[in-house]
């Protein structure tokens, strides 16, 4: 019997003021990409459950975590670290926990390197982010506000193969096991890996071993974990996270009267945090050309000018798109193209227009962009901003 979750719950959003510097773990352990997996297992100690992977020249290449090794179906004695190494997005000391949560969800990597300039300082984990966030007001939120409601469940006599199919089709990693609707156990993707993909005897070093049919036919109750760590819908998030840490589990079942009504994973903690992060506003550019030849070098110059323009006005204009229209009016006796360039800049603060004509792509675009900048500086939104005005005058009329 399967039950699914199709319900979304809106929650009151609290701000989270902590940053990476407040929660990350300083220091890290190194491992070389050509080491074997078995040789690096002993290096997972009190530091975050992740190692920094270096190449033969000592350059940072990515990360490897204890969890990936546990889930791997490779023989640890012959498989090299680089086989399981993943590149991870890096963060800085001053990044918000909301931004870190967003990166973790997008990359599906829960341990991110923390940098100061080019120096690797340590790692921040999903547990660091969750714990740090729950120390704020958000930790008083009730579990029922963010849990996955009406989770998939399976009867104890359903086969392990059916659970594997469910995990694949629904992209989930835990399923509560029930007997006549009452919670009796739980099966995770780790249980599947250990029982299905990691037989004790392997055929050869490094070989990925296929599914064992007898195990797939086994009932769920044959591999389920019990008893199940549960919380109530009214439990506070801070208390739920403490239960996860106390019992070293990555999932809690939310139960009422012995029946599962929800499920809580670390992702359920991270997703609301990621939603608290304000989206990065960007200025974009789109080209439309007719009979104008623009090579990669010229396009590079244009983008360079636009990036410089964006650095000056991106924060104030917040977001927008610059539409670049170019067409040719013929050539002169030297073969140079006479180009007409028209710019249309649509932003949250209004729309701006300019145009120019010239004999070269870069020069014509630059002139049109300069005129567009003049329109922006003169606009109602920026007319009273003295710093913008002074900066514009300094660039238009430099001292000689």
């Amino acid at each position: 019997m399967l039950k699914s979750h199709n319900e979304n719950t809106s929650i009151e959003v609290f701000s989270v003021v902590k940053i990476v510097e407040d929660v990350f773990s300083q220091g890290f352990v190194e491992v070389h990409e050509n080491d074997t997996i078995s040789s690096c297992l002993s290096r997972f100690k009190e530091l975050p459950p992740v190692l920094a992977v270096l190449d033969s020249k000592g350059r940072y290449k990515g990360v490897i975590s204890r969890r990936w090794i546990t889930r791997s179906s490779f023989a640890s004695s012959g498989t090299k670290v680089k086989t399981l190494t993943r590149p991870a997005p890096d963060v800085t000391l001053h990044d918000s926990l909301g931004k870190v949560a967003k990166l973790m969800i997008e990359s599906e990597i829960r341990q991110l390197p923390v940098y100061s300039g080019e120096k690797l300082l340590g790692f921040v984990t999903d547990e660091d982010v969750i714990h740090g966030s729950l120390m704020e007001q958000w930790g008083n939120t009730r579990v029922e506000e963010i849990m996955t409601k009406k989770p998939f469940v399976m009867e104890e006599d359903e086969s392990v193969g059916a659970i594997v199919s469910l995990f694949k089709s629904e992209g989930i990693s835990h399923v509560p096991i029930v007997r006549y609707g009452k919670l009796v156990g739980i099966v995770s993707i780790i249980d599947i890996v250990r029982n299905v993909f990691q037989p004790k005897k392997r055929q050869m070093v490094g070989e990925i071993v296929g599914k064992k049919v007898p195990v797939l036919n086994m009932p769920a109750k044959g591999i389920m974990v019990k008893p199940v760590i549960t919380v109530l819908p009214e439990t506070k998030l801070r208390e739920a996270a403490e239960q996860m840490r106390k019992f070293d589990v990555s999932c809690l079942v939310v139960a009422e009267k012995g029946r599962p009504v929800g499920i809580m994973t670390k992702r359920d903690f991270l997703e609301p945090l990621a939603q608290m992060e304000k989206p990065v506003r960007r200025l974009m550019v789109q080209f439309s050309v007719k009979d104008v030849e623009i090579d990669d070098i010229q396009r590079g110059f244009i983008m360079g000018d636009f990036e410089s323009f964006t650095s000056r006005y991106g924060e104030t204009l917040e977001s927008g798109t610059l539409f670049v229209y170019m067409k040719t009016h013929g050539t002169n006796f030297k073969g140079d193209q006479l180009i007409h360039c028209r710019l249309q800049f649509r932003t949250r603060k209004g729309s701006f227009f300019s145009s120019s004509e010239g004999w070269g792509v870069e020069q014509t675009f630059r002139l049109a962009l300069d005129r567009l900048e003049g329109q922006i500086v003169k606009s109602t939104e920026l007319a009273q901003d003295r710093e913008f005005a002074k900066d514009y005058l300094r660039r238009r009329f430099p001292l000689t």
Side-chain angles (χ1 to χ4, degrees):
M1 177 180 67
L2 299 181
K3 294 183 180 178
S4 62
H5 162 58
N6 288 315
E7 230 173 286
N8 291 322
T9 303
S10 61
I11 66 172
E12 184 178 357
V13 177
F14 297 108
S15 62
V16 176
V17 298
K18 287 184 179 292
I19 58 177
V20 171
E21 187 175 20
D22 299 323
V23 302
F24 87 110
S25 301
Q26 296 188 42
F28 56 92
V29 178
E30 302 172 357
V31 62
H32 291 278
E33 61 180 0
N34 289 320
D35 291 344
T36 62
I37 292 175
S38 59
S39 69
C40 73
L41 283 173
S42 62
R43 304 185 193 181
F44 291 101
K45 297 180 181 179
E46 297 302 320
L47 290 171
V50 61
L51 303 177
V53 180
L54 309 179
D55 63 14
S56 58
K57 296 183 179 179
R59 295 173 297 197
Y60 169 77
K61 300 297 292 183
V63 298
I64 184 171
S65 78
R66 185 191 299 123
R67 178 176 298 177
W68 302 340
I69 295 176
T70 302
R71 292 186 178 185
S72 169
S73 53
F74 289 96
S76 60
S77 60
T79 304
K80 292 185 177 180
V81 167
K82 63 183 177 183
T83 305
L84 295 178
T85 298
R86 300 186 196 177
D90 54 82
V91 299
T92 70
L93 292 172
H94 300 290
D95 282 334
S96 70
L97 299 190
K99 177 180 178 179
V100 176
K102 188 171 185 293
L103 289 173
M104 287 179 173
I105 290 175
E106 291 174 347
S107 67
E108 296 186 352
I109 297 177
R110 304 294 174 83
Q111 305 91 12
L112 305 184
V114 180
Y115 276 87
S116 176
E118 297 184 358
K119 183 180 180 181
L120 178 62
L121 301 178
F123 286 86
V124 59
T125 69
D126 51 2
E127 289 195 0
D128 294 330
V129 173
I130 293 170
H131 179 70
S133 302
L134 295 180
M135 292 302 101
E136 305 298 321
Q137 186 182 1
W138 188 60
N140 294 322
T141 304
R142 292 157 61 105
V143 163
E144 62 186 346
E145 297 295 327
I146 73 168
M147 70 182 186
T148 298
K149 294 184 177 181
K150 299 180 181 178
F152 288 97
V153 300
M154 298 205 80
E155 293 286 348
E156 62 178 354
D157 292 325
E158 289 281 357
S159 69
V160 171
I163 296 177
V164 172
S165 297
L166 177 65
F167 283 179
K168 286 183 176 180
S169 64
E170 301 299 330
I172 59 177
S173 58
H174 299 79
V175 62
I177 308 300
V178 298
R179 179 189 302 133
Y180 304 118
K182 291 286 188 176
L183 181 67
V184 294
I186 189 168
V187 173
S188 72
I189 196 169
I190 294 295
D191 301 316
I192 297 295
V193 169
R194 288 172 177 166
N195 288 277
V196 179
F197 297 100
Q198 289 185 333
K200 294 180 180 178
K201 186 176 180 180
R202 302 180 186 276
Q203 297 179 13
M204 61 171 49
V205 173
E207 181 180 5
I208 300 178
V209 183
K211 299 174 184 176
K212 296 178 67 180
V213 177
V215 177
L216 292 177
N217 289 337
M218 181 186 300
K221 62 185 176 183
I223 68 168
M224 71 182 185
V225 174
K226 59 181 182 180
V228 185
I229 309 303
T230 63
V231 292
L232 297 170
E234 59 267 26
T235 301
K236 293 182 179 180
L237 295 184
R238 189 178 296 113
E239 297 167 3
E242 181 57 35
Q243 290 290 89
M244 277 189 172
R245 284 195 299 274
K246 178 180 178 180
F247 293 99
D248 192 25
V249 295
S250 59
C251 172
L252 298 171
V253 176
V254 185
E256 279 189 316
K257 298 179 180 179
R259 297 177 180 272
V261 296
I263 198 167
M264 281 282 299
T265 66
K266 290 182 179 178
R267 185 182 180 94
D268 290 309
F269 280 102
L270 293 175
E271 284 181 340
L273 294 175
Q275 293 170 8
M276 294 177 193
E277 181 68 9
K278 293 181 180 179
V280 178
R281 303 191 185 280
R282 299 181 58 193
L283 301 180
M284 298 178 291
V285 60
Q286 292 185 11
F287 286 89
S288 177
V289 298
K290 182 179 180 180
D291 300 324
V292 178
E293 298 177 2
I294 301 179
D295 58 31
D296 291 339
I297 295 177
Q298 291 170 324
R299 188 176 292 270
F301 277 116
I302 290 175
M303 292 306 298
D305 286 342
F306 183 68
E307 287 173 4
S308 177
F309 172 87
T310 299
S311 68
R312 295 193 292 273
Y313 300 104
E315 184 174 349
T316 300
L317 297 175
E318 298 182 344
S319 65
T321 301
L322 175 67
F323 297 91
V324 181
Y325 303 90
M326 282 190 177
K327 63 180 181 179
T328 180
H329 284 308
T331 60
N332 62 9
F333 69 97
K334 295 182 180 180
D336 296 326
Q337 293 178 310
L338 176 60
I339 297 172
H340 173 76
C341 177
R342 182 161 55 93
L343 302 183
Q344 189 176 66
F345 193 33
R346 298 174 183 169
T347 78
R348 290 172 58 88
K349 298 295 182 68
S351 296
F352 308 90
F353 306 87
S354 71
S355 63
S356 66
E357 284 190 350
W359 295 102
V361 171
E362 303 100 314
Q363 295 90 337
T364 307
F365 174 79
R366 192 167 292 154
L367 177 59
L369 188 63
D370 189 59
R371 290 174 176 173
L372 182 73
E373 189 170 359
Q375 294 297 319
I376 293 172
V377 173
K378 295 174 186 176
S379 70
T380 303
E381 291 287 339
L382 302 179
Q384 304 303 318
D385 193 321
R386 295 183 179 180
E387 288 304 315
F388 269 100
K390 288 193 292 185
D391 182 66
Y392 178 72
L393 290 174
R394 279 195 296 268
R395 284 182 284 102
R396 285 298 303 272
F397 306 103
L399 296 175
T400 57

